[in-house]
Amino acid sequence: MPHPTAHPHYSPSASRPVFSPPEATTGSHTTLQGLAVLPKPAADLVLYGDLTGRYAAGSYSRLGPDGRTVIPRGERQGAAEHGHRVTAAIACHVARAGGTVEQLTRLVLHPDHEGGRHAQHIALRSGQARALDYIHRVWASAVQTVSATVAVGSREHAYELLAALRDRIETTPWRGERGRTALRVLRAHLTFAETAGGPLHHASERQTAEEAGISRTTLRAVYKTFLKPYGWLRRLRVGHGREGSTWYLALGTPRRHTAPAVLSRSRTTQYPPDPALAEWTTPETGAAADIDSTVLARLMSHDAFAHRGLGSTALVIISALHARSDQTVTDLIASSSVSRATAYRTLQSLAHHGLVHHHGETWTLTPRALHGIGHSPTSDKATADMQPAQNWDEIALRHGTAGTAGRRKALHAAERALYRQALERLAEHRSRAVVIFRDGCQVLVPSVRPDEVPAAWHAPGGHLLDPVTGRSSAEWRVATDGRLILITPADQRTYDELAAAHTQALSEWESAS
């Protein structure tokens, strides 16, 4: 790395980053016990730094506003970003190995450890106190990250982790309409994670909303009030341009272990009052849920399950009946986490479309219910009250929700097109003016321009000759300082005004300097 070697002052005890007795000598370095408990890649990162350039990607350049142009960063800024990433990676390795911040400090400030050059440079440039404060901040972030993530050692381990996440989602009670909507969003993210091959995945808000069959407004509300606070999802990086946000799917915290909900929201039919006009501490739905989330993911994007249609309650009841057939209403209350009144109302609606039928007290899905095809029973009394559906689209027509997904996708496509046009218009504009204050006056800093135009390309009147065709270019002009000016529809001034403004700014800048 381009950082200069720093040699901070250490006491004899502080120069040994030991977790236990020292190891054997390796080459010219004395490998201390702090490296013994780390994996070999982590120990190599501490000793030799980022030899493979794994943490350099994106450090020395960034994407422009259009999402396609690569803008190089300054050498010092890129090196600092690169060094910070290496320090953060070492901190995560130490935290995962059960180390402490003191051990991390000894590792990164040891003068023979190349991986700690960034912290050593801070200590040399700004002092030991500033370096220690930086290390403590990096350590706090690493501890939080490690506590909320799981180390994935292989592809098989990743699949096992996703299977455990799916089991956790299917056995967690999702009470209330907000909880069932959160279930749909979480299952959409699980689908993206399964495609990506691990809990780390990329997804945009529009993409998730289309997968879950809800609006973006509802999606943002669920993110803010449910999935993020309870630890199910972490947004590691906000998407920009054509890139979606980077998400990490984690094992959430059950709601019963968190602070109680607001009084007005917790008073529902799931908490019947007792004779003392209080409420039961245990919800009616219980804590043992059991649904098939694969079925839920398959059906939730259909218009039949949109708002004002069958809804999320029908989704979880169908998923519960598919996971375990022949359930009574009491069983469904526990397995689908819905209240008794909601369960009866939803079962009657599904029975009206011929998707479920009951024998005595038990309810079962009809043979082709997952395709939205209803089934008429042999009973004449039941047939008179039923209208068996032919598919999910017919059910959506009956509820007035047909075309909801199509309209949502068309709206999202139009929003994406407008957003990309805005980025392109923004990229065409000149960079924002930079000014300095000198003697109480603002002095414009001239913007950086391309290389000077060769004399052979000059044409009369400030025009530019195209070197390929030999003809005058209508979009480009040559400024008074011999550099290029691009005339676009976004420019509000003529070429002469632009050249005069640049000349005046250059004169003021030179006089101020």
Side-chain angles (χ1 to χ4, degrees):
M1 294 178 61
H3 298 296
T5 304
H7 298 282
H9 297 285
Y10 301 99
S11 63
S13 61
S15 62
R16 294 187 52 192
V18 293
F19 300 118
S20 67
E23 300 178 28
T25 337
T26 304
S28 61
H29 299 279
T30 302
T31 344
L32 302 175
Q33 183 248 343
L35 301 176
V37 297
L38 296 178
K40 187 179 184 302
D44 291 342
L45 182 64
V46 175
L47 282 175
Y48 310 115
D50 186 19
L51 295 179
T52 62
R54 175 182 180 183
Y55 301 97
S59 299
Y60 298 91
S61 64
R62 62 182 178 87
L63 290 178
D66 57 352
R68 292 171 293 182
T69 307
V70 178
I71 302 176
R73 290 175 173 170
E75 181 67 20
R76 182 173 178 178
Q77 182 184 7
E81 176 69 18
H82 188 188
H84 171 71
R85 292 185 180 185
V86 173
T87 307
I90 295 174
C92 289
H93 283 301
V94 175
R96 198 172 294 280
T100 63
V101 64
E102 290 78 12
Q103 295 159 350
L104 172 65
T105 303
R106 295 167 186 166
L107 281 176
V108 298
L109 291 183
H110 195 281
D112 293 334
H113 292 170
E114 189 67 27
R117 291 299 178 215
H118 183 57
Q120 296 168 23
H121 181 62
I122 294 177
L124 181 65
R125 184 185 60 193
S126 305
Q128 190 81 357
R130 183 67 64 86
L132 293 176
D133 180 67
Y134 166 73
I135 293 174
H136 278 76
R137 283 187 281 110
V138 172
W139 173 257
S141 176
V143 170
Q144 181 181 2
T145 301
V146 169
S147 62
T149 57
V150 178
V152 178
S154 61
R155 184 177 297 273
E156 291 75 14
H157 187 195
Y159 289 143
E160 291 175 2
L161 179 60
L162 291 178
L165 283 170
R166 183 172 61 250
D167 292 340
R168 178 69 175 271
I169 292 172
E170 293 176 348
T171 56
T172 297
W174 301 92
R175 302 188 183 98
E177 189 63 28
R178 185 178 60 174
R180 290 186 285 271
T181 305
L183 171 61
R184 297 172 69 161
V185 175
L186 192 60
R187 192 54 183 83
H189 276 278
L190 180 59
T191 302
F192 300 146
E194 290 173 346
T195 304
L200 187 68
H201 60 280
H202 302 274
S204 65
E205 289 186 353
R206 296 183 181 91
Q207 182 183 6
T208 308
E210 293 175 4
E211 182 72 19
I214 59 176
S215 64
R216 286 184 67 193
T217 305
T218 305
L219 178 72
R220 290 177 176 177
V222 169
Y223 280 153
K224 182 178 180 180
T225 62
F226 205 103
L227 295 179
K228 289 183 180 179
Y230 291 113
W232 289 101
L233 279 173
R234 292 178 56 212
R235 177 151 34 193
L236 304 181
R237 181 176 177 271
V238 178
H240 180 72
R242 297 176 181 270
E243 296 181 357
S245 298
T246 304
W247 296 89
Y248 186 86
L249 191 62
L251 293 174
T253 304
R255 298 181 64 181
R256 59 179 177 274
H257 296 325
T258 57
V262 182
L263 184 65
S264 61
R265 294 184 178 180
S266 62
R267 297 309 191 246
T268 67
T269 56
Q270 298 183 19
Y271 297 82
D274 63 7
L277 298 181
E279 290 192 353
W280 294 351
T281 56
T282 304
E284 180 188 6
T285 55
D290 184 17
I291 63 173
D292 188 347
S293 64
T294 306
V295 173
L296 186 138
R298 173 183 168 186
L299 300 180
M300 63 185 180
S301 60
H302 287 288
D303 293 336
F305 299 98
H307 182 56
R308 301 187 185 280
L310 293 177
S312 303
T313 308
L315 271 175
V316 294
I317 287 182
I318 291 175
S319 302
L321 287 175
H322 186 267
R324 183 164 56 90
S325 185
D326 296 329
Q327 297 189 52
T328 64
V329 173
T330 303
D331 296 334
L332 279 174
I333 290 173
S335 61
S336 62
S337 303
V338 299
S339 65
R340 185 175 297 275
T342 305
Y344 274 115
R345 183 172 61 251
T346 306
L347 286 172
Q348 290 175 2
S349 177
L350 293 175
H352 174 73
H353 298 296
L355 302 178
V356 296
H357 57 80
H358 63 96
H359 302 281
E361 296 183 355
T362 61
W363 292 82
T364 310
L365 289 176
T366 55
R368 306 188 66 183
L370 297 185
H371 299 280
I373 301 176
H375 178 72
S376 299
T378 55
S379 172
D380 295 337
K381 179 179 179 181
T383 305
D385 298 335
M386 288 177 54
Q387 298 179 6
Q390 300 301 317
N391 48 51
W392 293 118
D393 293 337
E394 181 179 339
I395 297 177
L397 282 173
R398 295 178 183 178
H399 288 270
T401 58
T404 301
R407 290 191 296 268
R408 182 181 296 117
K409 290 181 179 179
L411 174 62
H412 290 171
E415 290 177 348
R416 290 187 183 100
L418 290 176
Y419 180 62
R420 291 166 184 168
Q421 291 176 6
L423 289 179
E424 292 175 357
R425 288 195 302 267
L426 185 62
E428 291 178 355
H429 281 275
R430 296 177 300 275
S431 60
R432 183 174 297 179
V434 180
V435 297
I436 62 172
F437 288 88
R438 185 179 180 87
D439 298 331
C441 300
Q442 292 185 1
V443 179
L444 179 65
V445 179
S447 59
V448 180
R449 295 184 176 274
D451 293 336
E452 294 185 3
V453 182
W457 296 2
H458 285 257
H463 291 268
L464 178 71
L465 292 178
D466 191 332
V468 178
T469 62
R471 299 179 180 179
S472 177
S473 175
E475 297 181 352
W476 292 93
R477 297 292 188 273
V478 182
T480 54
D481 60 349
R483 299 178 184 271
L484 288 176
I485 291 182
L486 174 63
I487 304 298
T488 66
D491 292 324
Q492 302 296 326
R493 294 178 288 182
T494 63
Y495 165 72
D496 295 332
E497 293 174 342
L498 289 173
H502 177 70
T503 303
Q504 181 181 359
L506 187 62
S507 175
E508 294 178 355
W509 172 253
E510 291 176 349
S511 62
S513 301

